[in-house]
Structure formats: C-alpha cells, structure tokens
Amino acid sequence: MACWSRVPVRSHGGSDEQKKSLGRANSAKFVKALCMYPGEPRTIQEAQRHILIAHADRLTLELVEWRAGSTPQPGWVEEFKFSGTKVSVEDITVGRAPRPRVLDMFAGAGRSRSKHCA
C-alpha cells in the first residue's frame, strides 16, 4: 500500500536495513490500530491524511506526465478547471481536485439472499 510508506520513521542512526525494519514495524502498528473497533478518531484522521497525500502525489504525477506530452490530459483537469502545477491536500479537500475513490468492501448488505444459497 503506497500510502503506508508515509508512516513516519523515528530513527536515530542505524543501518538502512534497521531503518526499513523500523518502518515496517511502525506501519504494522498503524495498520493494527486501524483494525481496532471502535477506531480511535486520531488514528482514522491520520489514515485519511495518508490517503489524501498519496492521492495528491498521484494526481500531480498525472499533471507532470500530461504536460510532458507523454499522456493525454486527465479528465479531471477540465472537470475541476484545475490550473496549478502541483495538487495539494488542500486542493482536494476544498474541491479544486477530485477526492480519491475508496472501495468499501464491507458496504454490502451482508449475506446473500439468493434462492440458490443454503
């Protein structure tokens, strides 16, 4: 998950491998905290911030590739009348750029009511 790579790594020295290991441990703790019910509002807000930062980076990359001529203009540029060169989290939150689409795997009605199911 790209957005988890932004979980801060607090390390004072150590080898690159030790820093990577600490980063993985911090990421694992963060994901474990997200899996707790009920979730801590601060943890959920931090996850939302990670998602928005990763999304802003992806949209900025789309702009860079389009302006370099390697890809067609992203459809959202015209829709949001975006004229900047870099997309920020603020651009997304105030509606100057699209919000990320997030799949909620648990949003369904639950158990299927099909006649074919036992």
Side-chain angles (χ1 to χ4, degrees):
M1 291 183 199
C3 60
W4 305 131
S5 65
R6 294 190 178 275
V7 174
V9 175
R10 292 180 180 91
S11 174
H12 302 288
S15 70
D16 285 343
E17 191 54 42
Q18 288 171 324
K19 289 177 186 176
K20 285 180 187 176
S21 179
L22 181 59
R24 285 189 296 270
N26 285 344
S27 295
K29 276 197 241 180
F30 184 67
V31 170
K32 184 176 180 179
L34 279 173
C35 294
M36 303 302 272
Y37 183 83
E40 284 288 324
R42 192 172 96 231
T43 303
I44 294 168
Q45 289 170 347
E46 184 179 349
Q48 289 171 336
R49 186 178 62 82
H50 286 300
I51 291 167
L52 289 173
I53 290 169
H55 188 59
D57 290 348
R58 187 184 65 79
L59 294 176
T60 298
L61 181 61
E62 286 182 9
L63 287 175
V64 168
E65 290 173 347
W66 164 54
R67 291 204 168 104
S70 57
T71 61
Q73 178 181 355
W76 62 267
V77 172
E78 183 70 28
E79 178 184 349
F80 287 85
K81 306 205 180 340
F82 191 83
S83 61
T85 57
K86 183 177 190 311
V87 178
S88 68
V89 168
E90 181 185 357
D91 290 328
I92 296 167
T93 57
V94 300
R96 290 188 295 258
R99 292 193 64 81
R101 295 180 182 161
V102 180
L103 173 64
D104 183 352
M105 295 171 37
F106 304 104
R111 188 176 144 188
S112 173
R113 300 198 194 298
S114 171
K115 292 179 183 178
H116 301 344
C117 294

